[in-house]
């Protein structure tokens, strides 16, 4: 401890050693939300871990474990915090009682004392012991004597949640209202308005329930009065008929204390979840309160009919298997380059490259797979290999499937073929994955994946789409280059896009055209004008803006009109970068954003089915 009574271990370095792993968040939220959902609350839940600065500031302010401090015998208890946000004010106390039943010991609660002369933030904060297995996962090598293995749960209404954190920061952290009684009073009057809103909302829905009671709309009466997250199933006709015949009985269910029902649901929170239908709620309330014989008989009939229906439709218990959705993530149909090899040698070399990929991926699953390229077929749970090799006919076919190592419900499918057609070798590759169709798919971030052997063949032999593809820029410098470019653009046999760059400004350096060619050069043609006369000729022949073409990018997809983007389009671009595996997000701007968007467009175009 230094001369100012500050504990020297309260420093940034020691605080930065604290690590709270993701499992703490996942498990705490799962435990709490499961119970809140079973009871039927309308709610939201938020989670936070204190930042390093916030931890350090609190340690210094509260002076935990320091002799003479008000917190001499205390530790910081809210390293981890959870906020439960409820939509109805009268759920707060019920939720507080429910939370006390979830963990090993009840919470230690701090609540605001209500006063008829004062309005202030409604505080319902509880300190709970972390489950032991979770507290052991938290790394705190230097400050474990000052930070407890506990966490805080705050319970708020939706109305208070919107402003509560700001009010907390201004009053508690900043003392913003110090000395300004008029503004402090104004803040208190706003708090009073929020409190009134909470009460008014409950009162309004209760009044709506009474309206439905008077109109014998029992289904909506029950939904308004009990205000739970009911399933979308109407009140059973048997119950409706009884209420129609005896409105005084129906009135008992409208007058029944909502808290008593929720407390009953809480008692069963560790057992099988009660069906949250209005019919089942009437059954539970009837057991607690009226115990009406007519309703009891009706529920016996309802259960019998349900059992008979289940017996009659017994086969429905067996859900049919569903076809997996298949999603293409790469497709290429090219020719293998024969400029440096005979057709036979090129076939053997390409077949070996594909087979080498198959063998290295599957030799631990299929231990009998031949070392050298050969026809082979085998299956194992989650895996299959089919290779057909016919060197006499110059035909090779590969079809393999394998499980995704990260996504349990995903299966990868690779198809490749090499075959002699006239005097050329046609090389076709399709990469797909299959998974349940109802699984969430992010259509804005299309998955793109080409098999490694495609690049191996392109690197070591060469592949052609009318002309040879390279992961490099091809420059247009003379009339011959220009004529070849026009022929390529207009060739109906071309399958990949042609991307043409005109660049006199410095933006092309930041765009990094060489990196762009590396990314897409094996499934697009990358051209750039190095001669101003040829660039102007292209602009004139293809209808570009003659005052802006000098800084432009034109994309020619097969059998589509060229698309040209000019300097303003390029420099004003923005692109949302989302790294799902690393949980990172940022917004790219300028020509790099344009490059990202162009790569995404080319890849999306690659996997669209074409005739």
């Amino acid at each position: 401890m230094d001369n100012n009574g500050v504990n020297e271990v309260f420093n940034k370095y020691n605080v930065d050693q604290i690590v709270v792993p993701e499992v703490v968040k996942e498990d705490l939220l799962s435990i709490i939300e499961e119970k809140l959902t079973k009871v039927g609350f309308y709610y939201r839940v938020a989670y936070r871990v204190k930042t390093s600065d916030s931890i350090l500031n609190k340690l210094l302010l509260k002076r935990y474990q320091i002799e003479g401090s008000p917190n001499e015998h205390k530790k910081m208890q809210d390293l981890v915090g959870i906020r439960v946000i409820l939509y109805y004010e009268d759920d707060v106390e019920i939720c507080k009682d429910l939370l006390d039943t979830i963990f090993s010991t009840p919470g230690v609660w701090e609540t605001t004392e209500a006063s008829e002369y004062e309005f202030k933030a409604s505080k319902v904060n509880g300190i709970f012991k972390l489950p032991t297995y979770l507290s052991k996962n938290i790394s705190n090598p230097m400050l474990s004597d000052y930070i407890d293995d506990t966490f805080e749960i705050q319970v708020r209404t939706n109305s208070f949640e919107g402003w509560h954190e700001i009010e907390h920061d201004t009053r508690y952290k900043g003392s913003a209202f110090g000395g300004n009684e008029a503004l402090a009073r104004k803040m208190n009057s706003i708090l009073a308005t929020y409190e009134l809103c909470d009460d008014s909302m409950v009162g309004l829905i209760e009044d709506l329930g009474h309206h439905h009671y008077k109109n014998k709309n029992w289904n909506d009466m029950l939904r308004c009065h009990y205000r739970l997250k009911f399933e979308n199933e109407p009140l059973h006709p048997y119950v409706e008929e009884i209420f129609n015949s005896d409105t005084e009985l129906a009135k008992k269910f409208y007058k029944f204390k909502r808290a008593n029902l929720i407390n009953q649901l809480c008692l069963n929170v560790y057992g099988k979840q009660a069906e949250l239908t209005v019919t089942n709620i009437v059954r539970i309330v009837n057991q607690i309160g009226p115990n009406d014989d007519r309703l009891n008989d009706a529920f016996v009939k309802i259960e019998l009919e349900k059992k008979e229906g289940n017996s009659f439709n017994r086969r429905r218990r067996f859900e049919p298997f569903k076809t997996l959705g298949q999603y293409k993530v790469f497709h290429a149909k090219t020719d293998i380059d024969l400029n440096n090899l005979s057709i036979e040698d090129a076939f053997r070399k390409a077949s070996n490259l594909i087979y080498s990929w198959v063998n290295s991926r599957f030799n631990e699953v299929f231990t009998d797979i031949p070392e050298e390229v050969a026809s082979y077929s085998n299956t194992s749970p989650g895996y299959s290999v089919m290779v057909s090799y016919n060197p006499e006919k110059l035909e090779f076919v590969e079809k393999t499937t394998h499980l995704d190592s990260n996504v349990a419900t995903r299966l990868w499918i690779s198809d490749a073929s090499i075959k002699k057609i006239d005097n050329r070798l046609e090389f076709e590759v399709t990469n797909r994955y299959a998974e349940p169709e109802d699984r969430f798919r992010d259509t804005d971030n299309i998955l793109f994946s080409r098999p490694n052997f495609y690049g191996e063949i392109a690197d070591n032999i060469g592949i052609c789409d009318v002309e040879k593809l390279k992961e490099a820029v091809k420059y247009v410098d003379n009339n011959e280059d220009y004529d070849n470019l026009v022929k390529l653009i207009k060739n109906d046999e071309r399958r990949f896009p042609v991307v043409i760059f005109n660049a006199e400004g410095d933006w092309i350096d930041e765009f990094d055209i060489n990196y762009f060619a590396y990314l897409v050069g094996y499934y697009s043609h990358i051209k750039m004008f190095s001669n101003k006369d040829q660039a102007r000729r292209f602009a004139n022949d293809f209808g570009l803006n003659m005052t802006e073409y000098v800084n432009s990018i034109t994309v020619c997809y097969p059998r589509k009109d060229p698309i040209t983007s000019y300097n303003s389009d390029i420099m004003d671009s923005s692109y949302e970068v989302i790294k799902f595996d690393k949980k990172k997000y940022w917004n790219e701007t300028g020509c790099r954003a344009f490059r990202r968007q162009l790569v995404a467009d080319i890849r999306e175009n690659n996997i669209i089915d074409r005739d």
Side-chain angles (χ1 to χ4, degrees):
M1 188 178 303
D2 65 18
N3 295 330
N4 296 317
V6 176
N7 195 326
E8 293 178 354
V9 299
F10 294 172
N11 58 62
K12 188 72 164 60
Y13 175 81
N14 289 341
V15 169
D16 285 341
Q17 307 310 304
I18 300 171
V19 177
V20 181
E22 193 71 10
V23 68
V24 176
K25 173 183 178 179
E26 292 171 356
D27 284 20
L28 282 180
L29 291 184
S30 175
I31 291 166
I32 292 170
E33 290 195 74
E34 180 192 6
K35 306 305 182 289
L36 297 177
T37 300
K38 279 186 176 182
V39 171
F41 284 130
Y42 282 92
Y43 72 92
R44 291 181 292 119
V45 173
Y47 170 94
R48 66 105 183 99
V49 176
K50 275 189 179 297
T51 64
S52 296
D53 288 343
S54 182
I55 294 169
L56 182 57
N57 289 340
K58 189 160 188 175
L59 291 173
L60 293 171
L61 177 68
K62 296 291 187 178
R63 303 176 70 224
Y64 294 106
Q65 302 289 310
I66 293 178
E67 187 176 352
S69 162
N71 298 301
E72 180 180 352
H73 303 294
K74 295 180 181 179
K75 296 182 180 183
M76 194 181 87
Q77 297 184 302
D78 60 343
L79 172 65
V80 171
I82 290 175
R83 186 169 294 173
V84 178
I85 303 135
L86 301 165
Y87 286 75
Y88 296 115
E89 187 275 335
D90 52 345
D91 283 342
V92 172
E93 192 64 27
I94 301 169
C95 178
K96 173 177 167 290
D97 293 339
L98 169 61
L99 292 169
D100 278 340
T101 68
I102 295 177
F103 298 98
S104 58
T105 56
V108 178
W109 292 93
E110 182 181 359
T111 58
T112 305
E113 292 295 328
S115 166
E116 63 178 305
Y117 301 110
E118 180 185 17
F119 287 102
K120 57 185 175 181
S122 179
K123 180 190 294 183
V124 182
N125 299 347
I127 299 297
F128 290 81
K129 199 81 171 171
L130 273 166
T132 304
Y133 81 99
L134 290 179
S135 63
K136 287 180 178 178
N137 275 277
I138 296 175
S139 175
N140 182 11
M142 309 302 293
L143 296 168
S144 58
D145 290 338
Y146 307 94
I147 298 177
D148 211 349
D149 55 350
T150 54
F151 70 102
E152 182 182 54
I153 299 181
Q154 300 176 348
V155 184
R156 304 279 185 266
T157 62
N158 197 48
S159 296
F160 274 90
E161 167 60 15
W163 58 267
H164 185 274
E165 192 162 344
I166 294 172
E167 192 272 345
H168 171 75
D169 284 355
T170 54
R171 282 188 191 270
Y172 171 72
K173 293 183 179 179
S175 302
F177 292 99
N180 195 322
E181 294 296 329
L183 291 181
R185 179 179 174 83
K186 192 170 185 178
M187 170 61 84
N188 288 342
S189 69
I190 293 172
L191 305 190
T193 303
Y194 278 116
E195 187 173 318
L196 182 61
C197 286
D198 277 332
D199 291 338
S200 299
M201 184 60 69
V202 172
L204 182 146
I205 296 176
E206 278 294 333
D207 290 344
L208 184 59
H210 187 255
H211 167 78
H212 289 306
Y213 164 73
K214 290 193 295 184
N215 287 281
K216 296 187 177 181
N217 187 353
W218 312 122
N219 185 73
D220 288 333
M221 177 197 80
L222 293 164
R223 288 178 178 273
C224 287
H225 177 60
Y226 292 106
R227 304 192 307 279
L228 300 176
K229 206 161 191 177
F230 286 111
E231 295 173 22
N232 190 25
E233 182 181 307
L235 186 64
H236 196 283
Y238 291 167
V239 178
E240 198 166 7
E241 184 180 344
I242 294 170
F243 282 177
N244 285 335
S245 66
D246 188 348
T247 57
E248 286 301 311
L249 176 63
K251 188 175 184 179
K252 292 180 181 179
F253 286 82
Y254 173 66
K255 293 291 186 180
F256 188 84
K257 286 187 177 180
R258 175 175 176 270
N260 290 346
L261 165 66
I262 298 177
N263 286 331
Q264 182 64 33
L265 294 173
C266 289
L267 291 175
N268 191 42
V269 80
Y270 294 100
K272 183 180 178 182
Q273 181 175 352
E275 291 183 5
L276 290 176
T277 64
V278 285
T279 301
N280 197 44
I281 292 305
V282 171
R283 182 184 65 79
I284 294 171
V285 171
N286 190 53
Q287 291 172 349
I288 302 171
N291 196 25
D292 184 85
D293 288 338
R294 292 164 296 176
L295 286 173
N296 290 332
D297 292 342
F299 288 120
V300 170
K301 286 172 63 179
I302 291 169
E303 286 300 313
L304 284 173
E305 289 177 2
K306 189 183 293 185
K307 288 179 182 178
E308 288 173 1
N310 288 342
S311 176
F312 181 75
N313 297 301
R314 191 179 302 275
R315 288 170 54 191
R316 290 185 182 178
R317 290 185 300 126
F318 303 100
E319 280 290 322
F321 293 116
K322 293 180 174 62
T323 303
L324 297 179
Q326 293 194 25
Y327 309 102
K328 187 165 64 175
V329 294
F330 180 76
H331 180 248
K333 194 172 186 178
T334 63
D335 286 348
I336 293 178
D337 183 33
L338 301 178
N339 284 323
N340 300 312
L341 293 171
S342 69
I343 192 169
E344 292 81 10
D345 288 343
F347 170 79
R348 282 191 292 271
K349 190 170 183 179
S351 299
N352 270 285
L353 288 169
I354 300 175
Y355 189 80
S356 175
W357 176 85
V358 174
N359 184 284
S360 63
R361 297 299 302 273
F362 291 91
N363 61 19
E364 291 190 14
V365 178
F366 305 114
T367 55
D368 62 338
I369 189 169
E371 285 294 323
E372 302 297 326
V373 60
S375 294
Y376 178 81
S377 180
N378 208 343
T379 61
S380 182
Y383 304 92
S384 71
V385 170
M386 192 287 293
V387 174
S388 175
Y389 179 58
N390 189 329
E392 288 75 24
K393 290 186 177 181
L394 300 184
E395 288 185 358
F396 177 93
V397 177
E398 169 268 346
K399 183 167 185 176
T400 59
T401 63
H402 66 86
L403 295 172
D404 191 296
S405 57
N406 295 315
V407 183
T409 57
R410 182 174 292 170
L411 188 74
W412 284 94
I413 305 160
S414 168
D415 290 282
S417 67
I418 304 170
K419 56 185 176 182
K420 180 178 180 293
I421 299 178
D422 298 328
N423 293 318
R424 61 189 182 87
L425 277 181
E426 184 182 86
F427 174 38
E428 186 168 10
V429 179
T430 304
N431 207 24
R432 293 168 290 151
Y433 69 89
E435 64 185 13
E437 289 185 333
D438 58 354
R439 176 180 164 81
F440 170 76
R441 298 183 70 243
D442 184 0
T443 55
D444 292 331
N445 293 275
I446 293 171
L447 187 60
F448 182 88
S449 176
R450 74 181 199 207
N452 288 340
F453 60 75
Y454 179 81
E456 290 285 313
I457 291 174
D459 286 338
N460 293 286
I461 306 173
I463 53 176
C464 302
D465 174 45
V466 179
E467 66 177 42
K468 190 172 182 179
L469 292 160
K470 292 184 177 180
E471 289 182 331
V473 183
K474 296 181 182 178
Y475 290 92
V476 180
D477 187 55
N478 51 48
N479 288 337
E480 183 182 356
D481 292 341
Y482 181 82
D483 291 342
N484 289 335
L485 171 62
V486 174
K487 288 178 184 177
L488 177 65
I489 292 172
K490 294 184 176 181
N491 194 315
D492 290 337
E493 299 298 316
R494 176 171 57 88
R495 294 180 175 274
F496 291 145
V498 183
V499 187
I500 306 110
F501 289 81
N502 268 307
E504 292 189 2
D506 295 336
W507 63 270
I508 197 67
D509 294 329
E510 188 177 352
F511 183 94
D512 197 345
I513 189 173
N514 292 318
Y515 180 59
F516 174 75
Y518 165 75
L519 291 174
V520 300
Y522 281 156
Y523 43 92
S524 58
H525 302 268
I526 314 301
K527 306 283 187 175
M528 184 169 181
F529 286 105
S530 56
N531 181 296
K532 292 183 179 181
D533 292 335
Q534 302 301 335
R536 185 172 184 82
R537 184 180 172 190
F538 175 81
N540 185 66
D541 290 349
F542 285 85
L544 273 63
N545 186 313
M546 297 305 293
T547 60
E548 296 188 66
Y549 76 90
V550 293
N551 286 298
S552 65
I553 301 173
T554 300
V555 183
C556 302
Y557 288 108
R559 294 172 292 283
K560 292 182 180 179
D561 293 333
I563 303 167
T564 299
S565 301
Y566 299 99
N567 185 262
S568 58
D569 303 311
I570 297 166
M571 301 310 295
D572 293 343
S573 289
S574 64
Y575 188 84
E576 290 184 319
V577 183
I578 305 170
K579 301 287 187 182
F580 287 108
D581 53 337
K582 299 178 181 178
K583 298 182 180 178
K584 288 188 176 181
Y585 166 90
W586 71 92
N587 191 49
E588 195 90 80
T589 58
C591 55
R592 289 192 179 184
F594 189 87
R595 185 189 70 203
R596 286 183 183 272
Q597 184 61 61
L598 184 54
V599 169
D601 291 343
I602 291 171
R603 288 176 172 178
E604 181 177 359
N605 185 269
N606 177 272
I607 64 176
I608 295 173
D609 287 318
R610 303 186 188 90
D611 294 332

